[in-house]
Structure formats: structure tokens, C-alpha cells
Amino acid sequence: MNGPRLIFWELTKRCNLRCAHCRAESYDKEYSNELSTQQIHSIIGAIASNYRPIIVLTGGEPLYRKDLFDIATYAHEKGLPIALATNGTLIDETIAQQIKGSGFQRVSISIDGPDANTHDSFRGIPGSFDKALHGAMLLHQAGVPFQFNTTITKRNVESIEAILKLAQENHAAALHVFMLVPVGCGVEIADTDTLSKEQYEEVLRWFYYKTKEAGIEFKATCAPHYYRIIRQEAKKEGRKLTFETDGLAAVTRGCLAGSGVCFISHRGDVQPCGYLPLVAGNVLSTPFNQIWESAELFVNLRNLQKLKGKCGVCEYKAFCAGCRARAYYATGDYMDEEPYCVYEPKRMTHA
């Protein structure tokens, strides 16, 4: 049994912004039954005794947790690589130094537009763009690597190149582009803001060629059909994908929910990912390793033979697997076909 590669841990649901596409539907208020420092330490210890995943401390806004750096230091001392996912607006000189001192290997900052007008309209609070960039600058000065995370919708799809330039100019180590998943607040804007299947395909094909000249790490996330596209494009070029030429994209799969990735909520619920709101178990009542290895939800997600619709017959399913969260949103069945993919498998077209 392979262990998780990444665990996204929602330390708190509280947040100071009002993002239109928020997975967590967060507000600036206290939430009940958040895991205590001691509970989190205990769970980290149990994870570290069995696996070596990267722990991404997220929220809400994780900087609201007064014990954030205590938790981070504890995980780091247990030998677990740690990263921080933040909106960047609460970072000052002191916090930047605390982030560095706690052992964080990288910080992701959410940037959803190349300018204040676009970003702030997404984030719901005026001034959030300038504060996020200021936080990024302070991290750079402190010697902490950071990346920008951008959720692509109809609002900003024409600005991807400008956002990439912004990332380059602000010394970001990477730009990770997320394709909108209709969950949480994202459900409310799904009809108006989600790209069409054709737009998804166009953006991801552009993305393939842009990665070759970006100059920084440029990664498509929550876009499993990208792993089909890179193979199609490489075949056109008469070459095979290799780690040396294409990096991790050549050796990993699109949707890793429940197979390489999982999510722990602020109350201890374990989900396949933050975008698939189904619970495999709770770490307060069941050991994490037992949930990871034996939960029916995870076992099903790892069995590609259970995929339905065109995903089930697709020749690229071992590389893509379709977004299980989008399938769940579309039909209520997390093993159904990816609803935002234009590709017609050969077994369907030849039938």
C-alpha cells in the first residue's frame, strides 16, 4: 500500500476574505470543534510513524491559528515536509520570519488576477491584491520560496499570460493554475464562470506549450485531462514523455484524490480531496493509516475499473482518471465520467 504524497490539512475554516469560488465557504468567525493543538500533534505523530507525505497547512486562512507555527515546527521535527497555503494578506515582517523559522519549504499565495480590480472582485475585499503581493515580497526577502495559485474561470481566462508575468516579476518559484471545481461557493458561480469543455481543452493545450518557455514551474492542477493532452501533443512531436524532459507530469496521474492525495478538515474528517465533500472517516475515532488503507471510499477511487461512462472505456484513464469532484457535482456519483472533457475515447468512436 502506497502512502499519501500530499495531505492538505484545513487547520481552520475561518478566513478574512470572501472569495467567490471558496471551497470551504469560509467566513471571518469562530468555528466550533476545530482540532486542538494536542489532537493535531497526536495525529501528526501517527502519520509520521507510517508515511512521509508533504503536509500542506491550509484553511480558511491558516494564519488565524495562533498555534500554526507550533504545529508546523512539530511536523518538521517529525521529519514531514511542510508547506503553507495562504491568501498572503496577513503576512508581515514578523510572520515572514516565523514562516522561515518553522521549516516551511514553500508557501502558496492565492492570486486570481494580474491587477487589483480582477483579484479583489474575486476575493471580495478591496486591497487584498496589494496585501498579497506585499506578503509575497516579504517572503522573498526572508528567503522563503513561494508560488502563486490561480483559479481559472471566465473572469480571468484571458489574463493567464499576464498572471504568469506577474509571478515571474515577483520572484515566484511557480505558478499553479487551478481549473474551477464547482464545490462550496464555487457552486454558486459554476453556471456563469466555468469554462466550457472546448475552452478547457484550448487552455490546457496552450498550457502545454507555455510550460516550455515559462522560466518557472508552471503546473496545471484540478485538470486531469491535461495528462491526456500532454501525451497527445508529445505523440504529434514524435517523442515519448520522460521525467528528464517533462518533469513530474510524465510520471504522475491526473486525479490523485484518495490515491496520492487526501484532505483533513478542521474537525478531523478525512476526504479524498478538498473539492470532493465525501468523508472516508474521522481521525479522532479511526487511526489515519486505517482510513487511508481501508476506507471503502478510497478503495473505490483507487480502482480504475470502477470508472463509469466514457472515463471507464478511455484509453487514457490510467493517466487522467477524470476529476472525481466534478463527476460528483454533475451526477452525484464520484465514479461517473468527467463532465468537462471533450475527448471521445476510441472504444466509443469505433463502436
Side-chain angles (χ1 to χ4, degrees), residues 147-194:
Q147 68 187 49
F148 286 167
N149 286 357
T150 300
T151 299
I152 298 300
T153 70
K154 288 180 180 178
R155 302 188 196 193
N156 61 5
V157 66
E158 301 299 330
S159 302
I160 307 176
E161 191 122 23
I163 296 170
L164 174 59
K165 184 178 180 182
L166 183 75
Q168 294 165 334
E169 292 173 347
N170 283 272
H171 310 289
L175 173 62
H176 286 198
V177 172
F178 289 71
M179 309 307 275
L180 178 68
V181 180
V183 66
C185 294
V187 171
E188 299 174 18
I189 64 170
D191 291 340
T192 56
D193 285 44
T194 304

Side-chain angles (χ1 to χ4, degrees), residues 295-308:
E296 182 181 7
L297 176 58
F298 286 176
V299 171
N300 287 340
L301 285 165
R302 293 166 192 157
N303 186 355
L304 297 183
Q305 301 308 310
K306 287 182 174 287
L307 290 173
K308 301 175 183 178

